[in-house]
Amino acid sequence: MTILSSLHNALAQGQALKVISGLNNFDVERVSAVVKAAELGGATFVDIAADPNLVRVAKRLTQLPVCVSAVEPEKFVVAVEAGADLIEIGNFDSFYAQGRRFEAEEVLALTQETRRLLPNILLSVTVPHILTLDKQVQLAEELVKVGADLIQTEGGTSSRPAHSGTLGLIEKAAPTLAAAYEISRAVSVPVLCASGLSNVTAPLAIAAGAAGIGVGSAINKLNSAVEMIAAVRSLVEALATVSRFQVGVQ
């Protein structure tokens, strides 16, 4: 069994959980804490910055598949050489506050260049939420044609919840849930729903058609290992609840 077998199984069952430390997070101590929490909490895989040193650290800390994220294809090459198991073009959320936009043409070009450099590795690509929903779907279809194995949605940074509590959590997740719903019905590859999700909205992502979820700040901004592990476990349980419900209604 390969290290990616568990990931493929989780995606097939709609229970994949990716814990994200952050594309621009190069703090070894913080990244290590997130990786450990993902391992102990029962996540499916981890997503870290495409840095060879971070990859080597993560591989020492976990048996989970290690995904690396970047927006420069060349960074993937050295990260894979260091041991990364899969790669992600994105996540783009951290760039929007800087005024940096990723349009469809650029994302498609990045994907084509990445595939040229690394033709065989498992490749996930984020679809920018700044595009209208119909353009997101169109881009996702084009990305699959040029070699994307997974499509990831986003949208948490664009949401402005008007309420607190559960209603606010649902409002926060609405953009990425909408993208997951539309894109999952248009492409043949698994869709990972990410950005702005919580244990409340994780089941909604699966119901919308996603094969799994990606969660970052809800975990990596916590201040203690106990809190991070608990947050991961709550997400795992939320996804398991969906699976049990699906079995019950069959």
Side-chain angles (χ1 to χ4, degrees):
M1 179 180 292
T2 68
I3 193 170
L4 291 176
S5 296
S6 60
L7 171 57
H8 288 302
N9 290 338
L11 289 168
Q13 296 167 13
Q15 290 186 286
L17 169 60
K18 178 171 76 169
V19 174
I20 305 165
S21 68
L23 178 148
N24 289 317
N25 180 7
F26 298 96
D27 184 321
V28 174
E29 184 176 345
R30 290 296 298 172
V31 172
S32 297
V34 173
V35 170
K36 290 176 184 177
E39 171 89 21
L40 295 172
T44 311
F45 62 127
V46 295
D47 187 332
I48 64 176
D51 176 82
N53 181 52
L54 288 180
V55 173
R56 287 187 283 267
V57 169
K59 296 294 286 187
R60 289 196 296 268
L61 293 174
T62 184
Q63 296 298 311
L64 299 177
V66 174
C67 177
V68 292
S69 288
V71 293
E72 300 95 349
E74 297 78 13
K75 289 187 175 181
F76 291 129
V77 176
V78 291
V80 170
E81 290 173 350
D85 301 294
L86 65 156
I87 60 179
E88 160 74 27
I89 298 175
N91 307 285
F92 302 130
D93 279 346
S94 62
F95 293 96
Y96 295 132
Q98 305 168 21
R100 174 75 162 90
R101 291 174 60 92
F102 288 84
E103 303 293 347
E105 295 78 8
E106 182 177 7
V107 176
L108 188 61
L110 288 172
T111 303
Q112 292 171 317
E113 176 62 10
T114 300
R115 264 293 170 244
R116 186 187 69 80
L117 294 172
L118 296 165
N120 299 316
I121 195 156
L122 189 65
L123 169 62
S124 175
V125 184
T126 296
V127 172
H129 79 264
I130 59 172
L131 304 176
T132 59
L133 204 50
D134 61 321
K135 295 297 184 183
Q136 290 185 49
V137 172
Q138 181 181 346
L139 175 58
E141 293 173 327
E142 293 172 350
L143 291 171
V144 172
K145 289 179 183 177
V146 299
D149 300 300
L150 294 167
I151 296 294
Q152 182 169 288
T153 65
E154 62 173 19
T157 56
S158 68
S159 180
R160 297 292 181 268
H163 301 85
S164 58
T166 300
L167 182 54
L169 293 173
I170 294 173
E171 291 171 341
K172 178 74 171 175
T176 195
L177 292 174
Y181 181 89
E182 295 292 343
I183 292 172
S184 66
R185 282 154 178 76
V187 300
S188 58
V189 302
V191 173
L192 202 70
C193 186
S195 184
L197 296 178
S198 64
N199 62 327
V200 171
T201 50
L204 300 181
I206 306 306
I213 65 170
V215 179
S217 60
I219 296 167
N220 62 46
K221 288 187 177 179
L222 297 174
N223 294 319
S224 75
V226 172
E227 288 178 311
M228 286 193 286
I229 294 168
V232 174
R233 286 179 176 167
S234 71
L235 290 162
V236 170
E237 178 57 31
L239 294 174
T241 300
V242 179
S243 178
R244 289 196 294 270
F245 173 76
Q246 291 171 336
V247 171
V249 298
Q250 288 177 352

